[in-house]
Amino acid sequence: MRSPLLHFLLIGALLVALRHGVSVLAHGTVSGPQVALAASDEELLFAEAVDLGLHRRDSLVMRRLVRDMQFLRGPHRTTGEGAGEASHPEALFRDALALGLHEADLVVRRRLVQKLKLALKAAVRDEAPSQEELERYLDDHPEAFEQPATWQISQVFLSRRVRGEKLDASARQLLRRLRDGVVPPERAAFFGDPLLMASALPPLSAKQLEGLFGRAFVAEIDRLETRAWGGPVASAYGLHLVWLHAHRPPRPARLGEVRSAVREALVEERSRARLEAQLASLRVAAP
Amino acid sequence: MFALCAALLFGAWPAFALDGGEGREPCASVNPLRNAYFGDLHVHTTFSQDASTQGTRNTPRDAYRFARGEPLGIQPYDATGRPLRSLKLDRPLDFAAITDHAELLGETEICRDPKLPGHDSWICAIYRRWPRIAFFLMNWRTSGPRERFAFCGPDGRFCLEAALSPWREIQAAAEGAYDRSAACRFTSFVGYEWTAARDLYNLHRNVIFRSAAVPELPVSFYEAEHAWQLWQALDESCRHAGSGCDYLVIPHNSNLSGGLMFESSGPGGGPRSAGEAREQASNEPLVEVMQHKGDSECLYDPAGSADELCAFEKLPWDGFTGKFVSWLAKPPHPRSFVRDALEQGLLEQQRVGANPFQFGLLASTDTHLGTPGAVAEGDFKGHGGAGKPAREAVPVGLPDDLEFNPGGLAVLWAEENSRGSLFAAMRRREAYGTSGPRITARFFAGWQLPADLCERNDFVEQGYAAGVPMGAVLPQRPEAVSAPRFAVWALRDPGSPERPGGLLQRIQIVKGWVEQGQTRERIYEVVGDPNNGAGVDLLSCTPIGVGSDDLCGVWQDPDFEAEHPAFYYARVIENPSCRWSARVCLAKGVDCNRPETIADGLAPCCSEGHRPIIQERAWTSPIWYEPTERSR
């Protein structure tokens, strides 16, 4: 009873039992077969990984199991001058496998299941999708790759910090001046207050404009007429008089714009389907 | 059987290839004066053991989808695999890097590693010569009618190739997330964490690669035990590999390094040489000053700094062991902090002529949930790593241990949102960090910056033309000029209707210098009002008082001495606001005067160590002044 190995195995068995019990309790309203199914899929994959011998060749599994054995037998018996042949890492690894430690170690189990999933994904990647397949995937999932609407604006800023209570009146007055004087956007910034961003901005999406000015700003400029001074539009910093150069609505992506993303999405979809198919065959073959 | 073996022996063994080229469409939007891009360069997914044991199932691909604005489920998961919690960013990030621990990403095949037992076995010899035959021999125990090789491919190669390594998956996810179109909406970086420690003290560093050209395997703590060995190995496998690979290294959590992160000795154990100092500064141009596991800027302590703002998000121990083994806990070490390292760097420069700690500052999260950029105080789901587990159930009470925080963001000033441009910004240290809010901050210094820069429409143009930006070294002082001038401008986080950005309280400039062989520091209030009376109503977490939407100041160092080497960095401070923990305690109805309201898991709300009010902030990278011979 003094053997650390026995203690380890007893504690491990207790923890596994407790874990399963806690898992069931935590999902008390889920039906029995659903809980059993989820747990057994991981078990099936682990068993498959072991059957394929992945546990015998993974250097990280080896390191962990050697460490587990060193812990069980005690460092004084497995390292240093007192250690014999049986303490050689290869021997410790062999003994750990013989004891079935790879089945008890949660990290090893997770690692091997992960390896198996990665192997399957590598196989899917190897079947590089063709141009036609990528185009078809894009056609079937246009919303996932849609290019967002953009607005291209120039803006003249009036600072709340500088103008204080006169901000609203200043903004309305300047708007009249810009409209009456037909001031082009490239010369209008001179009439406003300094701001730590450009007066002429490139086409930006709603999210990008939100990041600069705040969300309310985007809703306001969407109501503006193009190629005319509009506003004042409020931002987090003050008021802006805005010249809307162009608004482009959302549009479907061209494959050239999103090729990598489409390829990855297709690989992901195929990997999931392939894994489910393999799990189905493993379930059938399981005792 | 013989025919099958022969077919496998003489058949093709295809290589596993990614599209690693840097070919891309030019970005449609290029700003020569640079834009601020917000991102997270410290993200863990299910490929990190400390994340997966806590129930994290999100993959690198999931993390990038989250960074780009998609909702994401997180643990715990129910029996059908449905996540019981979810998260979504209010605003997508501009860039991110997945930095899983390298120690689990590396080579997995014993037969390929001559240092491992079993490498010389007969089966491994066969494997190296005839991999496919070896696969069959290794699996001779198989039995049963079912397809044995469905997972591994018909010839088993997928169970033998290094393609099993998560490292390939991380690269593929980065490739899928990187927007190579002219829209340039998102940039991914391939990276990893080098998980080094000494005497249980944290010496962790993240490695970020410039492009898709990366080493075959990441250099982990198994291969390189010291930082200089890491750089050497990366030079061999990356910079000198002829593939166009380049990298930089970002240390983090120096607050948990027991004073070891910024050591005074070089690789040989003795004082650094000038070359070694230059090598360190070149390979580590940035430091992560804040993340889930605390702030590392400075220590508010008699042995540290008298700067009260240094009490922000401090972990109470000198190393992580203190969290788990109370009798080993020691207070934070003064040498663990970034400001001290910047000062030590000035001393080293005086000693050997080169500064090993001439680094810029940024922040990130260190999320172990696979949720980059989830920094909102109002929606903290926890660190997902070393703190409260959420594997089996939603944490009761607070979502994580009190001492953790939602982390910060990295901000880069770059011409466009592409790998080349962002990496160049990191390399020249034109970067800053925030404690979470999307504060925009510009910082310039020059000998002839106009004093009225804040009133001009060409603040940025003048900053570059007449000065240098954050991260740079001031040029040689003109004889007629007495002191450098600094210009700093910050905009508050514009926020969203659900989460308004905090008002700014003030901007400070932190100066460190060396005088008569001693390091000194001083905090200067540049603009704003530290006594503006702003506060927080703790009964509702509503901010009280006035503040600023933006602050701008031009400042000249009144104490400048030409013979004193110095650094200056700007610190932008928001008005006080409720910490994440105070928000949770409030939402759950905790009243520390009424014990019956302190439910399970909420006792920390009323603990002595709880600081319910914080002041969010941004730290710019420093600008350095180096005296010339003429000045001495």
Side-chain angles (χ1 to χ4, degrees):
Chain A
M1 278 305 290
R2 282 221 235 141
S3 163
L5 174 59
L6 185 58
H7 291 173
F8 175 86
L9 292 173
L10 286 174
I11 291 168
L14 180 62
L15 286 173
V16 169
L18 276 175
R19 179 171 165 271
H20 180 68
V22 167
S23 176
V24 170
L25 287 171
H27 310 121
T29 58
V30 179
S31 67
Q34 281 178 294
V35 173
L37 195 66
S40 71
D41 280 351
E42 294 284 317
E43 290 295 328
L44 287 171
L45 292 175
F46 174 72
E48 182 72 2
V50 170
D51 251 357
L52 288 167
L54 300 188
H55 62 302
R56 295 181 179 279
R57 299 194 310 279
D58 186 301
S59 59
L60 296 162
V61 169
M62 166 181 273
R63 281 196 185 99
R64 188 159 176 95
L65 293 181
V66 165
R67 202 179 62 186
D68 287 349
M69 281 305 296
Q70 284 171 337
F71 169 74
L72 287 174
R73 292 197 175 149
H76 63 283
R77 291 175 60 191
T78 54
T79 57
E81 288 183 10
E85 276 293 317
S87 301
H88 191 273
E90 190 165 1
L92 289 172
F93 181 51
R94 197 177 49 238
D95 291 347
L97 292 179
L99 278 173
L101 293 190
H102 57 293
E103 296 181 2
D105 189 311
L106 193 62
V107 171
V108 168
R109 294 178 69 94
R110 196 171 296 120
R111 169 75 174 175
L112 293 176
V113 169
Q114 188 183 80
K115 281 191 69 156
L116 206 57
K117 289 180 180 174
L118 285 174
L120 186 139
K121 199 159 192 184
V124 170
R125 279 194 196 288
D126 197 52
E127 303 153 13
S130 66
Q131 177 78 3
E132 290 72 28
E133 286 170 325
L134 292 174
E135 283 170 356
R136 194 177 324 124
Y137 190 90
L138 181 57
D139 288 340
D140 290 345
H141 303 84
E143 70 293 336
F145 303 98
E146 183 181 76
Q147 299 298 290
T150 60
W151 293 260
Q152 185 178 358
I153 64 170
S154 291
Q155 52 87 24
V156 179
F157 172 63
L158 294 103
S159 167
R160 189 176 298 123
R161 172 171 57 84
V162 170
R163 301 192 185 239
E165 290 178 359
K166 295 180 183 169
L167 178 62
D168 285 342
S170 299
R172 284 192 295 275
Q173 186 179 30
L174 182 55
L175 180 62
R176 277 196 300 274
R177 187 174 176 185
L178 293 177
R179 283 174 172 168
D180 292 346
V182 195
V183 178
E186 59 271 18
R187 286 175 40 210
F190 171 78
F191 296 96
D193 299 322
L195 181 63
L196 196 55
M197 64 178 75
S199 55
L201 297 171
L204 296 173
S205 67
K207 286 294 180 188
Q208 289 170 317
L209 285 166
E210 257 181 61
L212 291 175
F213 299 106
R215 192 177 299 173
F217 188 89
V218 180
E220 287 292 322
I221 65 168
D222 198 35
R223 289 195 271 269
L224 296 180
E225 210 177 299
T226 52
R227 308 195 65 74
W229 285 108
V233 180
S235 76
Y237 313 110
L239 294 177
H240 304 255
L241 303 177
V242 178
W243 179 282
L244 178 60
H245 294 273
H247 165 54
R248 195 197 69 197
R251 63 168 177 82
R254 293 185 296 274
L255 183 59
E257 294 172 317
V258 293
R259 177 178 293 275
S260 292
V262 170
R263 184 178 57 233
E264 281 309 297
L266 186 50
V267 164
E268 193 72 22
E269 186 181 86
R270 285 179 173 177
S271 298
R272 273 199 300 269
R274 192 79 58 90
L275 178 63
E276 186 48 44
Q278 295 308 322
L279 275 171
S281 69
L282 288 175
R283 288 178 205 130
V284 165
Chain B
M1 180 65 176
F2 175 79
L4 182 59
C5 291
L8 289 169
L9 179 62
F10 295 108
W13 193 261
F16 178 79
L18 286 170
D19 176 11
E22 280 309 292
R24 58 159 304 130
E25 290 184 24
C27 290
S29 168
V30 181
N31 179 4
L33 295 177
R34 300 171 182 152
N35 300 317
Y37 294 105
F38 290 82
D40 191 343
L41 293 174
H42 195 163
V43 180
H44 293 271
T45 73
T46 190
F47 289 143
S48 285
Q49 178 185 322
D50 52 348
S52 67
T53 49
Q54 291 282 37
T56 296
R57 298 186 188 183
N58 289 321
T59 63
R61 183 168 179 271
D62 294 328
Y64 281 125
R65 289 193 301 111
F66 178 83
R68 298 192 70 167
E70 293 184 39
L72 191 65
I74 60 172
Q75 64 267 41
Y77 294 83
D78 69 15
T80 64
R82 187 174 59 90
L84 297 184
R85 297 187 297 173
S86 68
L87 211 45
K88 183 178 184 298
L89 291 177
D90 289 345
R91 291 162 288 185
L93 295 179
D94 297 310
F95 65 90
I98 306 302
T99 54
D100 283 307
H101 295 289
E103 291 66 31
L104 281 184
L105 301 182
E107 178 56 70
T108 62
E109 272 296 334
I110 289 170
C111 292
R112 289 178 187 263
D113 187 342
K115 294 191 296 294
L116 288 175
H119 178 265
D120 294 331
S121 67
W122 66 270
I123 194 72
C124 277
I126 291 176
Y127 165 76
R128 285 190 293 274
R129 182 71 179 85
W130 302 290
R132 297 190 195 91
I133 291 178
F135 179 79
F136 284 95
L137 290 172
M138 286 173 181
N139 293 283
W140 67 272
R141 295 182 302 116
T142 64
S143 61
R146 62 192 168 94
E147 175 57 58
R148 292 299 307 155
F149 310 117
F151 281 98
C152 301
D155 49 6
R157 64 177 179 266
F158 297 111
C159 284
L160 293 172
E161 279 281 356
L164 291 182
S165 167
W167 184 230
R168 298 295 186 110
E169 193 60 28
I170 288 166
Q171 293 172 63
E175 182 57 33
Y178 183 32
D179 184 355
R180 291 177 182 272
S181 76
C184 290
R185 288 208 182 87
F186 186 82
T187 293
S188 58
F189 286 101
V190 181
Y192 69 90
E193 179 167 343
W194 177 73
T195 322
R198 194 190 317 157
D199 303 330
L200 302 180
Y201 286 114
N202 177 102
L203 296 174
H204 301 182
R205 288 157 155 88
N206 286 346
V207 180
I208 306 294
F209 294 99
R210 186 184 65 81
S211 70
V214 300
E216 181 72 15
L217 292 163
V219 178
S220 78
F221 188 48
Y222 291 129
E223 294 85 42
E225 288 186 12
H226 302 278
W228 60 271
Q229 292 173 325
L230 170 68
W231 311 327
Q232 236 173 38
L234 283 171
D235 280 348
E236 280 173 29
S237 60
C238 173
R239 276 202 196 123
H240 303 149
S243 60
C245 180
D246 194 8
Y247 72 92
L248 51 84
V249 177
I250 306 177
H252 61 263
N253 277 131
S254 64
N255 58 330
L256 295 173
S257 69
L260 297 178
M261 182 68 86
F262 304 116
E263 284 186 293
S264 57
S265 57
R272 270 186 200 82
S273 67
E276 287 163 350
R278 272 190 288 273
E279 185 185 22
Q280 175 140 12
S282 171
N283 288 323
E284 299 189 349
L286 294 165
V287 163
E288 182 183 287
V289 72
M290 192 249 186
Q291 52 123 281
H292 282 327
K293 300 197 298 295
D295 165 80
S296 295
E297 182 203 352
C298 48
L299 180 66
Y300 178 50
D301 180 88
S305 171
D307 177 3
E308 288 184 9
L309 287 174
C310 293
F312 177 67
E313 296 294 358
K314 282 293 159 316
L315 296 191
W317 340 276
D318 71 336
F320 224 25
T321 311
K323 177 176 173 61
F324 303 108
V325 186
S326 57
W327 67 85
L328 291 178
K330 288 189 271 189
H333 194 294
R335 281 282 135 89
S336 294
F337 294 89
V338 162
R339 192 188 292 172
D340 180 82
L342 290 168
E343 292 163 7
Q344 296 301 314
L346 298 178
L347 278 175
E348 284 282 276
Q349 174 122 33
Q350 279 199 322
R351 187 181 64 78
V352 295
N355 182 346
F357 305 135
Q358 199 168 63
F359 47 69
L361 306 181
L362 46 71
S364 285
T365 60
D366 191 17
T367 174
H368 280 56
L369 299 175
T371 51
V375 295
E377 296 286 327
D379 202 10
F380 184 40
K381 295 289 193 273
H383 168 44
K388 264 193 181 180
R391 184 183 175 83
E392 303 294 344
V394 176
V396 173
L398 296 181
D400 210 333
D401 293 341
L402 189 67
E403 62 268 17
F404 293 157
N405 73 83
L409 295 175
V411 194
L412 302 174
W413 285 106
E415 296 83 359
E416 62 183 35
N417 190 357
S418 66
R419 280 175 175 167
S421 189
L422 295 178
F423 193 87
M426 286 192 261
R427 176 127 346 266
R428 67 174 181 270
R429 304 176 296 239
E430 200 171 356
Y432 66 96
T434 85
S435 60
R438 296 206 185 191
I439 296 168
T440 301
R442 284 278 199 182
F443 184 48
F444 293 97
W447 301 107
Q448 278 143 346
L449 283 182
D452 65 343
L453 208 44
C454 288
E455 284 77 56
R456 298 167 61 139
N457 268 313
D458 59 353
F459 177 96
V460 175
E461 291 90 332
Q462 286 299 314
Y464 282 116
V468 296
M470 63 178 79
V473 178
L474 275 163
Q476 185 172 336
R477 180 178 66 89
E479 280 204 37
V481 179
S482 60
R485 193 171 272 150
F486 298 82
V488 56
W489 197 342
L491 304 180
R492 72 170 171 111
D493 181 351
S496 64
E498 299 83 10
R499 276 191 261 273
L503 293 173
L504 302 181
Q505 186 184 63
R506 70 227 225 221
I507 303 179
Q508 305 168 313
I509 286 180
V510 177
K511 177 186 177 186
W513 74 96
V514 171
E515 185 175 338
Q516 294 180 337
Q518 300 294 316
T519 60
R520 306 276 298 277
E521 67 179 51
R522 187 168 174 181
I523 319 298
Y524 295 90
E525 300 287 344
V526 172
V527 62
D529 183 5
N531 301 307
N532 64 354
V536 181
D537 175 4
L538 280 175
L539 295 179
S540 62
C541 275
T542 304
I544 301 169
V546 299
S548 301
D549 300 316
D550 72 303
L551 288 170
C552 186
V554 178
W555 173 81
Q556 193 163 33
D557 182 0
D559 303 312
F560 178 77
E561 298 286 348
E563 67 271 23
H564 297 163
F567 65 82
Y568 304 79
Y569 65 87
R571 192 165 61 178
V572 182
I573 308 295
E574 279 191 358
N575 274 350
S577 57
C578 264
R579 191 174 187 260
W580 68 269
S581 46
R583 295 168 195 250
V584 173
C585 299
L586 177 69
K588 292 188 181 284
V590 172
D591 177 351
C592 295
N593 295 317
R594 293 168 51 216
E596 68 274 16
T597 65
I598 307 171
D600 283 348
L602 294 173
C605 294
C606 305
S607 68
E608 201 177 299
H610 185 209
R611 287 190 171 84
I613 299 175
I614 56 170
Q615 286 188 268
E616 303 266 30
R617 60 202 60 190
W619 310 262
T620 72
S621 286
I623 295 173
W624 286 266
Y625 164 68
E626 295 172 359
T628 59
E629 282 307 312
R630 171 164 58 85
S631 308
R632 291 185 228 277

